[in-house]
Structures are given as C-alpha cells and as structure tokens.
Amino acid sequence: MITRTDVDEAAARIAGLVRRTPVIEADRGTFPGDVWLKCEFMQHTGTFKARGAFNRVLACRERGELKDDVGIVVASGGNAGLANAYAAARAGVPAAVFVPETAPAMKVKKLRESGATVIQRGAEYAVAYDAAIAYAAETGAVYCHAYDQPEIAAGAGTVGSELLEQLGGVDTVLVAVGGGGLMAGIAAAVEGLANVVGVEPAAAPTLHAALKAGEPVDVAVAGVAADSLGARRIGQIGFDVAVRTGVKSVLVSDDEIVAARSQLWSDYRMIVEHGAAAAFAALTSGAYVPADGERVAVILCGANTDPSTV
C-alpha cells in the first residue's frame, strides 16, 4: 500500500532528474467540462515510467541495497525496460534487461542503445520474468518491477502531485490502466482531493475484472494497446489503492482508442501510443462524460509508438 507521503518522498528524491511535463487546456466547448491534457509522453524515454525507475534505483541506493558493480535487473521489452535502463545509466550502474526471444527487434535495439545488457529468454514474458528474478537472486542485482513495487508506483504518482501543483486542483483524473502502477500512484497522490477514473481497453480489463471479482484475477489480453497495457492481471498495489481510494473503471474499445489517437494528432499534433490514447478515448467515446464545469485532467502517459500508424 502506498500513500501521499510515499509520493511526496519520491518527488523529493527524483527532483531534477525527471522533466516537469506541461499541461495544456483542451479546446473549449469540445467536452462538457474543462479538460486538461497532462503531456507525460514528453518524459525521458517517452513515458511516465522514468519517474518510478529513478525512485526505485535511488531509494535502493539510500538503503545500501544497490551494488555499483552489479546494478539492476528488469524483465521488460518495452517502456519499463527503457526507463529503468535510463535511470541506471544516470545513476552510473549497469542494467540487465530480460526480454522474450520473440521481442521486436526494434525494441531490443533501443534497449541496447541505452547501454543495457539485453538477455533474451523464452517465448513468453513469464519466462523472461522468471529468468530475471533468478538473475537478481544469483547476482544481488536490484530487481525493478514494471509496476507492482511501492517505489515504482510512488514514483509514477509524482505525475499526480505535479498535476495538482500546475492546475491548483482538479475534480477528476482519467488515467489508463494496465498493471496499475500509474493509477495507484496518482490515486495516492490525489486521495481526498480528486477522483480517479481508470480507463482500460475492453480487450484487457485488469482493473475492471478485479473490482468485479473482489481481488486481482487473470484476464485475456489482446487489442491495439496490448504492447503497453498488456498486463494479465492488476498488481496488488494497484488493486489495494483502487479499493481504498474508490477508483472507478471504464472500458473503451480498440476502435475508440484508435479514433482518440487520431484526434490527438489532428487537433493537437500530439503523437502518443495507444495506451496513452485510451485515457483520452474515455472522453471522445462518451465512456466518461464530465459534468458541466467539472475540471478533468487526462494523463497522456506515453509516446513510444510508430508515427506512421497515426
């Protein structure tokens, strides 16, 4: 479980290492409420995940857990791998990134360019994950989870505390949910100050299914946003914080995500990944309809995508 105190500590720890990403107002009259877009896709490595990565690496260094000659290990061929490799490089320690043998060549190339040692294991993520855990146990490397660690989630939550500072308060925050780290961090940061709505692809409804079942459960994963919102179940931290803070879930279809992504380009010249567009799709599809005068912030969380597909 994480709280606003954890997020505040993370903000102090990573200050000066991450970008204070801009917030812009959506075109007035487009939606019933006043809507703001938090441009976190402009963060280092293209997603919010740099915040949690820095918080995890530096917190472990403070506790004496980080060995300078061994560094960190993460299982991810995507955004978490890039973010943690970047944070490790800035901290001056090595990073090992385990990816499936089926990982796209372009992602593997980007990871290697970041300075990480890339190790390919198995045909599925679960195999790479198990190998990374074994590597951590054998070498003493700090394991950095993609989303379900307190420091990772608290670091991600600095998006929320930063947002409140920039706007002076909002009523509702719309945020995409995969494994739930970003949602949990933001919900902790704004607890008692704003409502959080988790937006999920209908083809990967981790939070929706967990809230219905009363506990995290496995879901089938498919769809256009599976590359970034492809967790098979909500993390325990995400679920616990969602229940404590009353996070609601809304679902959007692949077609609605694609349309929202195109609208962000045509109206604002923003190129984001499908996972980031999912949050905006809650508004454009009508899955979430703000009340008149409601102040709504949409977290545009990442931009690691192929621009030619917009």
Side-chain angles (χ1 to χ4, degrees):
M1 191 72 77
I2 61 170
T3 67
R4 186 180 302 126
T5 298
D6 298 306
V7 177
D8 290 342
E9 290 176 354
R13 184 175 289 119
I14 68 178
L17 294 170
V18 296
R19 293 173 180 151
R20 187 178 175 89
T21 55
V23 178
I24 69 165
E25 187 174 13
D27 295 337
R28 285 192 171 273
T30 305
F31 307 105
D34 297 322
V35 175
W36 300 82
L37 307 176
K38 174 66 166 162
C39 301
E40 189 61 14
F41 62 90
M42 299 175 69
Q43 189 55 257
H44 293 299
T45 72
T47 73
F48 71 94
K49 287 184 179 287
R51 296 175 183 262
F54 271 117
N55 192 44
R56 172 71 173 160
V57 169
L58 296 180
C60 287
R61 171 166 280 171
E62 291 171 8
R63 294 193 297 266
E65 299 169 5
L66 182 65
K67 300 177 182 179
D68 288 348
D69 59 335
V70 178
I72 70 163
V73 59
V74 59
S76 169
N79 294 334
L82 289 170
N84 282 282
Y86 177 79
R90 289 292 303 271
V93 300
V97 182
F98 282 75
V99 302
E101 295 169 356
T102 54
M106 182 57 67
K107 288 187 176 181
V108 172
K109 180 174 181 288
K110 289 180 68 175
L111 285 167
R112 287 184 172 139
E113 289 173 348
S114 74
T117 298
V118 180
I119 305 163
Q120 294 182 281
R121 290 287 186 277
E124 296 182 356
Y125 170 78
V127 177
Y129 172 81
D130 289 342
I133 294 297
Y135 178 92
E138 292 166 5
T139 65
V142 166
Y143 185 73
C144 298
H145 197 280
Y147 53 85
D148 201 27
Q149 281 176 328
E151 289 131 350
I152 295 291
T158 61
V159 175
S161 55
E162 186 176 287
L163 175 70
L164 293 182
E165 292 173 4
Q166 291 170 306
L167 294 181
V170 295
D171 299 310
T172 303
V173 181
L174 301 180
V175 57
V177 178
L182 178 61
M183 174 273 294
I186 290 176
V190 306
E191 187 172 6
L193 302 173
N195 298 314
V196 173
V197 176
V199 186
E200 303 172 86
T206 57
L207 175 61
H208 190 84
L211 292 175
K212 184 176 180 180
E215 62 181 352
V217 293
D218 287 342
V219 300
V221 173
V224 296
D227 60 336
S228 56
L229 303 180
R232 292 195 175 276
R233 70 162 55 196
I234 196 80
Q236 192 65 50
I237 293 171
F239 177 74
D240 289 344
V241 174
V243 171
R244 187 188 80 213
T245 62
V247 174
K248 306 298 183 184
S249 167
V250 299
L251 303 179
V252 291
S253 70
D254 276 8
D255 287 346
E256 289 164 344
I257 292 171
V258 170
R261 183 167 174 258
S262 295
Q263 186 169 335
L264 282 167
W265 168 247
S266 62
D267 291 356
Y268 303 99
R269 284 301 184 261
M270 295 178 181
I271 296 180
V272 302
E273 59 192 63
H274 286 104
F280 190 58
L283 292 176
T284 56
S285 69
Y288 184 82
V289 180
D292 289 339
E294 182 179 353
R295 289 168 57 84
V296 178
V298 181
I299 310 300
L300 300 178
C301 57
N304 289 327
T305 189
D306 181 353
S308 70
T309 63
V310 174

